[in-house]
Amino acid sequence: MFKGHVERYIRRTRSARRKMLAVLIDPESFSAKTASEVAKRSEKCGASVILVGGSTICDRSHLDRVTRDIVKNITIPVILFPNNVTGITRYADAILFMSLMNSTNHYFMYGAQALGATTVLRYGLEVLPTAYIIVGGESSASIMGYAKPIPEDKPELVSAYALAAWYLGMRFLYLEAGSGSFKPLSPEVVQRTRERYPGTIFAGGGIRTAEEARGIASAGADVIVVGNLVETEDFEPKLKSIAEALRSVGKREVR
Ligand code: 1GP
């Protein structure tokens, strides 16, 4: 339903100064049925988009089933967050077509992208050109992507990468602290990045509370990504409070 219109939807939301909540569903953690139920429950809690991805996806047929069932069950856009060429499916609305900017391995900067681009074209996925930057300590994403995470106390380096991404034409930026990270991104890193980068900023990794989400969104992130939280039994109250906190940040900026 959103294919071809996801960027417009995100731009409209940004121009209305509303913050977005993205719920990340890792197909490795769910059956197709459970994934689609979690997506539905997340939409009811106030999620603005569903991301589908994870650092270790390799079963394409399971990814197909999960994504197809999610899309059928919800009305918000479904965007792929691929770890590799195995993270592409025809059933999503769009793909964060990412280059892991601080990887030390050419494959994760441009190699996988060259391998996957024709498939993305053939599937008719909307492409969101995205710079992926890993900050903080080691995580599954940094290990699998051969990244050298940028230390938290070097916000000037994160913002330099972000500006380079903008100059390279990447209209989306994903700041990653690592799934399940003990410590989410610091608001300072996000704020310094915001000062340099005019595009859409996704921020994720270790965000579990409304306060953390509010701090990162107030610092300038447009989309707050929450993944691990929805893998817990009764995630709804916490997710609702995060969505509510993001609505209040948006309102404050409008005034
Ligand atoms: C991981 O940024 C995402 O790539 C989400 O992180 O699972 O810790 O919420 P969490």
Side-chain angles (χ1 to χ4, degrees), residues 38 54 57 70 89 157 195 203-204 213 248:
V38 166
I57 293 180
I70 290 175
T89 168
L157 290 185
E195 285 163 10
S248 70

Side-chain angles (χ1 to χ4, degrees), residues 24 81 132 174 176 178-181 204-208 225-229:
L24 171 63
F81 173 53
Y132 189 42
Y174 194 122
E176 175 70 89
S179 182
S181 167
I207 301 172
R208 298 172 185 86
V225 184
V226 168
N228 267 3
L229 180 66

